[in-house]
Amino acid sequence: MSEKKIYTTKSTEETFRLAQDLARGIGQIPLAVGLVGDLGAGKTVFVKGFASAFGVDPDQVNSPTFTLVNEYPTLKGFSIYHFDLYRIGPSDLYTLGWEETVGRKGISLIEWVDRAGEYLPEVSLWINIRHLGGDEREIEISFPGSSIG
Ligand code: ADP
Ligand code: MG
């Protein structure tokens, strides 16, 4: 049982705003958001838009490729944790504070969540971005826990 919505965006800004709008409707903390999609699909753009809804400066949001996780404090008393699993294997996850963080505090946004293997967390929001060519992207948002659909 899950609800699914599919959008097509035609620019970086449109993806940014879609994520921002989605984030504005979030009522549930802690929250884990999984992002899937090829390199250059727009996962980081999506995270920027999402985090901006909580007052985080999008220029501060970058894929934590070398730091493994970035923490962005919000004005709401919780942090946003930005993971990117592109370069790490499931066995590295314990060094990231994965278990204590994902789904336990604040909002976790996880790029390449499909690489978490056996540590795949229970995500409440699943974002799948597909490159359609040029600046066009198909963005599928699913809510695995939803009773609708
Ligand atoms: P990922 O994190 O998935 O590897 P990024 O978000 O870092 O991808 O990069 C996406 C790139 O594609 C950016 O340079 C962005 O400006 C560009 N882009 C072009 N059109 C779009 C779109 N419709 N949505 C998101 N990004 C887009
Ligand atoms: Mg990225």
Side-chain angles (χ1 to χ4, degrees), residues 43-56:
K43 300 181 294 300
T44 302
V45 168
F46 198 95
V47 173
K48 284 175 187 275
F50 200 97
S52 76
F54 298 96
V56 177

Side-chain angles (χ1 to χ4, degrees), residues 44-104:
T44 302
V45 168
F46 198 95
V47 173
K48 284 175 187 275
F50 200 97
S52 76
F54 298 96
V56 177
D57 175 2
D59 290 338
Q60 302 296 315
V61 175
N62 289 298
S63 260
T65 311
F66 299 105
T67 47
L68 303 180
V69 57
N70 286 344
E71 180 175 353
Y72 316 121
T74 73
L75 299 175
K76 309 237 174 198
F78 61 84
S79 285
I80 290 177
Y81 303 91
H82 184 187
F83 294 88
D84 188 322
L85 307 186
Y86 185 58
R87 284 168 203 271
I88 53 177
S91 57
D92 300 321
L93 290 176
Y94 72 95
T95 60
L96 302 181
W98 182 254
E99 306 243 306
E100 302 88 73
T101 307
V102 177
R104 296 265 163 90

Side-chain angles (χ1 to χ4, degrees), residues 9-12 15 38-45 111 135 137:
T9 67
K10 292 183 161 53
S11 68
T12 305
T15 297
D38 290 339
L39 272 180
K43 300 181 294 300
T44 302
V45 168
E111 297 192 41
D135 286 350
R137 304 290 191 275

Side-chain angles (χ1 to χ4, degrees), residues 3-18:
E3 191 188 357
K4 196 183 276 189
K5 289 181 182 165
I6 299 177
Y7 301 85
T8 304
T9 67
K10 292 183 161 53
S11 68
T12 305
E13 293 70 33
E14 226 184 298
T15 297
F16 184 96
R17 276 198 304 273
L18 176 66

